[in-house]
Amino acid sequence: MVVDAVALARDAKQYTYRLLLMRHAQAQSAGQGTDRMRPLSSLGLKQAVAMGKSLTRLSLIPDCIACSGASRTRQTLDQMLESFGDGPKVEYKESLYAEGPQAVFDLLEASKPEEHELLIVTHEPTVSMTAQLLASAESDQGAVGLLDLGMAPANVAILASNDPFNSWQLHHARYLGLFGPKHV
């Protein structure tokens, strides 16, 4: 599938509020230790750096970031932060590891109107399920349906609205699409 990340970013900029839902970059296979402690693979480290640079190049720099407390999500964000500079406020939320889409809805509800670009780095299936739950009827339903397949590591789904995040409910935002390291 061919994705035009530049066109996607241009479409996103037409809206006042943009939510970037990101699945962490590729993690190492489960082995010794807990799932929560799984680190990124060497490919995952490269993916995270590439996505940080891509979001910056596309002028999709978040002003706020929420990240799961799991090792692989924290490492993904750590690799991206250098590209973003000192601007974004970062919060680590354990709820993003264990509570699924409800954790994302809670974050949206607690957001402030002056927060316009929110990046949430979490896990699958939370990212794809949340994007589907937020996608409005005006979204491309074929693209929304593809989320049933899940999101690949280091991919970002973009949803947008002219309404503040704290007013978002089910099917409130336009799902614009997703892109990942292979698309930029």
Side-chain angles (χ1 to χ4, degrees), residues 13-184:
K13 288 296 184 176
Q14 295 177 32
Y15 295 88
T16 308
Y17 295 90
R18 294 166 297 279
L19 175 63
L20 311 172
L21 286 173
M22 181 177 187
R23 180 180 179 189
H24 61 77
Q26 183 185 70
Q28 292 181 9
S29 299
Q32 305 270 339
T34 66
D35 176 70
R36 192 178 181 293
M37 299 307 295
R38 279 194 305 135
L40 292 181
S41 66
S42 57
L43 173 61
L45 292 168
K46 292 175 189 169
Q47 289 174 328
V49 169
M51 288 304 290
K53 290 178 180 177
S54 295
L55 288 171
T56 300
R57 195 171 41 254
L58 295 168
S59 298
L60 293 173
I61 300 171
D63 39 43
C64 293
I65 302 171
C67 181
S68 159
S71 293
R72 58 194 177 272
T73 53
R74 292 177 73 99
Q75 284 183 307
T76 298
L77 181 56
D78 288 346
Q79 296 299 311
M80 296 171 68
L81 281 175
E82 186 175 318
S83 296
F84 299 153
D86 295 332
K89 176 183 83 174
V90 178
E91 291 185 75
Y92 297 94
K93 299 285 192 178
E94 293 304 316
S95 60
L96 287 170
Y97 179 74
E99 295 176 21
Q102 185 60 52
V104 177
F105 278 92
D106 291 345
L107 283 168
L108 294 173
E109 185 178 346
S111 69
K112 297 177 178 73
E114 62 269 14
E115 298 169 347
H116 293 270
E117 192 110 36
L118 174 60
L119 169 65
I120 298 177
V121 184
T122 190
H123 308 270
E124 186 59 33
T126 298
V127 287
S128 59
M129 288 173 60
T130 303
Q132 288 177 312
L133 290 169
L134 285 169
S136 67
E138 293 81 30
S139 303
D140 176 340
Q141 295 306 304
V144 173
L146 289 175
L147 291 168
D148 284 341
L149 302 173
M151 284 174 51
N155 274 235
V156 174
I158 303 176
L159 293 110
S161 174
N162 288 319
D163 301 321
F165 296 122
N166 61 11
S167 70
W168 288 22
Q169 300 293 320
L170 291 174
H171 310 295
H172 189 95
R174 176 167 260 166
Y175 173 71
L176 300 174
L178 65 84
F179 73 98
K182 293 180 180 181
H183 306 121
V184 290

